[in-house]
Amino acid sequence: MEDTIVAIATPLGVGAISIIRVSGTEAIKIVNKIFSNNNLHKVKSHTINYGFIVENNEKIDEVLISVMKAPKTYTKEDIIEINCHGGIATTNKVLELLIENGCRLAEPGEFTKRAFLNGRIDLTEAEGIMNLINSKTETARKLFINQLSGRVSNKIEKIRQDIIEVLANIEVNIDYPEYEDIEKMTLEMLKPRIEELKKTIRKVLDESKNGKIIKEGIQTAIIGRPNVGKSSILNALIEEDKAIVTDIAGTTRDIVEGQINLDGILLNFIDTAGIRETTDIVESIGVNKSKEIINKADLILFVLNNNNEIHEEDIKILENLKNKNYIIIINKIDLESKIDINLIKEEKVIEMSILNNIGIEELKQEILKIFNLNKLELNDLTYLSSSRSIAILKQINSTILDIEKAIDLQLPIDMIEIDLKEIWNKLGEIIGKSYENELIDQLFSQFCLGK
């Protein structure tokens, strides 16, 4: 991090303002070379300065330059932000001059990566920044602001502190057995501490499911045999004619997607090709895609046609849904009923008629009920939301189970200490107290340029 980096921090195109961000030990010196009022070393930190970007005494653009001196900056390095007039040619010209005078073009996420490596933020806060930029609902914004403010990190730090206290006691017992005034940590004393740790980790894991839903939404597949009204239901839910609707079976041959915001949670709808045996090669590919999506979906909306008898294929689909979150929709109730409701025997049945606008609101309420979305603790959104963090927590939970077995088998406490240290280190990986360079490079590469 010895060099000085630069990137355009705003979307490139026609606009009123374009911002170019520079960070590093040479930031002020480099910008000074191309600024008409070249006295940036003398100005106070966190001030805005008027002037022109120049090249060989030719004015390139009229600008406002923000000077922020280390360490009270985003990266804890000197940062300059050049506010130019928006436009591709002007912005690129200023960027070109900065590179010619000593800057290096930043990699995606490199400003935030420097903030992490310089101790300005931890990994959870860094992920919060990336997620905040990409958040699509108010609930998601609240969750990621909490990550950014350190509330999630504080929760993890509290668990680590509890573990380090136990480890310290064990270490003293092992290294200084002659100290009689130090309480001896026994397996009997350790057992309730491990049980409490297990409860805490499981609680965080359970809450992280909410975080994942808030971040990624609910992947919802609309399935059923051809011509039951799947595409009509999708169009009604997203209030847009996105899927083609005809009376011809097999019209939907590929995957059609849409989104709605349901009480602050995104529902990502996927209208799949009708599931049936077919000799049409293109339609067959769509059917196979549909079956793959069913396995990955968080929620299945299984649509039946009220005007048709239940088919053997419908019974097979129902059997495959038993271990999934699903809702059965009996569509087209405005038509004569030919369906035998006794073959379903399910409580989660919504009757619908898209033609008469019946059942859409009831469907939304049933989805809220299945995922307990009305009961989300929206006032204290301190959930972990990244797949990386959740995977680590699952590993920790497995290690805790190993420790419980070791205690039951009366294994030496110094062997159990090894597993406790592993848990402490794994929790450190979540917030970035311990990490591998490959992980850091991969994580920050997901950011946009200039962030």
Side-chain angles (χ1 to χ4, degrees), residues 139-147 211 214-215 381 383 385:
T139 306
R141 183 195 64 78
K142 290 179 180 178
L143 171 64
F144 301 132
I145 275 291
N146 279 343
Q147 279 188 229
I214 293 170
K215 177 186 175 184
L381 293 172
Y383 309 142
S385 59

Side-chain angles (χ1 to χ4, degrees), residues 9 13 46 56 82 257 264 285 350 373 396 416 422 430:
H46 295 77
N56 298 325
I82 304 174
E257 300 179 349
I285 293 171
I350 303 292
L373 298 183
I396 290 170
I416 295 172
E422 180 184 347
I430 291 176

